Amino acid sequence: MNLGLSSKQKISFQLGSTALQSVQHSLYNNIVTIEMPKGFIRLTPYSDSIVRVRYALNPAFSTKESLIIQREPDEKVNIKVSESPDDVIFSTPNLSIQINKRTGAFKYLDSSNGI
């Protein structure tokens, strides 16, 4: 998978796999791209409480300016990416997004694990 990043700046991890599928993610400039069996999910933190979530069929996400987002991503947001047997978990100090590895379904949680 080529995301247009130099190999020095790209960090990739094998998160989990089954006999037929595998889920990987890469981290670059505090932006996480997750390669799912049927597409790509990109998570971009704008603050501890705001994360832009995008989906694309291929790793070439649109560079078209958003009509909704009016600020720049914050590279200083402390993010953590981890996994459970079923999910990839993207967290900031105020929220977590659990992404099911098999289905790509999202579950959004606040800092006290409430939905």
Side-chain angles (χ1 to χ4, degrees):
M1 171 177 71
N2 181 355
L3 300 175
L5 311 172
S6 74
S7 60
K8 211 162 73 172
Q9 299 167 319
K10 180 179 170 186
I11 304 169
S12 294
F13 304 89
Q14 181 76 22
L15 287 179
S17 63
T18 65
L20 299 175
Q21 70 184 20
S22 132
V23 175
Q24 299 180 32
H25 82 270
S26 61
L27 174 63
Y28 176 72
N29 283 347
N30 227 30
I31 297 170
V32 174
T33 302
I34 303 169
E35 182 179 356
M36 302 293 292
K38 295 183 179 179
F40 296 81
I41 298 168
R42 183 162 288 168
L43 304 164
T44 307
Y46 282 77
S47 74
D48 288 347
S49 302
I50 300 171
V51 176
R52 182 180 186 190
V53 178
R54 297 190 293 162
Y55 175 82
L57 293 174
N58 59 58
F61 284 82
S62 172
T63 57
K64 192 174 181 181
E65 186 174 322
S66 172
L67 299 176
I68 297 171
I69 298 176
Q70 300 296 316
R71 58 196 259 190
E72 294 297 315
D74 187 349
E75 292 181 15
K76 295 177 184 166
V77 174
N78 184 23
I79 66 167
K80 178 180 159 189
V81 181
S82 59
E83 73 168 306
S84 71
D86 297 323
D87 301 309
V88 175
I89 302 140
F90 174 93
S91 302
T92 72
N94 292 344
L95 64 86
S96 292
I97 303 171
Q98 295 177 351
I99 304 162
N100 184 280
K101 292 177 186 177
R102 188 175 53 78
T103 66
F106 287 74
K107 183 176 182 182
Y108 297 88
L109 304 169
D110 62 20
S111 59
S112 60
N113 284 330
I115 295 178

